[in-house]
Amino acid sequence: ENSRRCVDAERSFAATLKASCESPVAAYAEIRENELYLRGVVANPEGSKLMRMELRGSQSDGGRIGNDLGRKMLADGAGALLEEIKAQS
């Protein structure tokens, strides 16, 4: 069940960013001390531009945590970075 909650958070994060399997986006969730910790990364392919953020919350709210982290990263510039990458492809 913990694995499912982590996967839900990671997938929700990617979906919020509209990331594909080719997008330079990563997410890693884990349960620690009864909380779900989600780390997200958006980068350009060269790694010269990199955004990292983390969010934690109730382990039963994986989907919401993923969505919230994705929205927070979009608000902080991840959307522009992803658009820049798409324009270069």
Side-chain angles (χ1 to χ4, degrees):
E1 188 164 314
N2 284 350
S3 294
R4 183 73 198 161
R5 291 173 176 168
C6 290
V7 168
D8 287 346
E10 294 163 354
R11 287 182 177 172
S12 178
F13 172 76
T16 300
L17 293 174
K18 296 184 172 107
S20 72
C21 59
E22 296 176 0
S23 301
V25 171
Y28 178 72
E30 63 183 334
I31 307 273
R32 289 186 284 166
E33 300 173 10
N34 293 321
E35 285 193 305
L36 189 143
Y37 286 75
L38 177 62
R39 286 177 288 234
V41 177
V42 176
N44 67 351
E46 298 80 29
S48 60
K49 294 182 181 177
L50 180 74
M51 292 183 66
R52 294 178 201 226
M53 288 190 181
E54 182 175 306
L55 194 61
R56 66 183 174 138
S58 170
Q59 63 179 323
S60 63
D61 290 335
R64 181 193 56 78
I65 293 167
N67 187 277
D68 288 352
L69 183 59
R71 285 193 323 235
K72 183 174 177 159
M73 290 190 78
L74 287 171
D76 284 358
L81 179 55
L82 290 169
E83 287 301 318
E84 178 182 321
I85 293 163
K86 283 181 189 176
Q88 293 174 358
S89 338

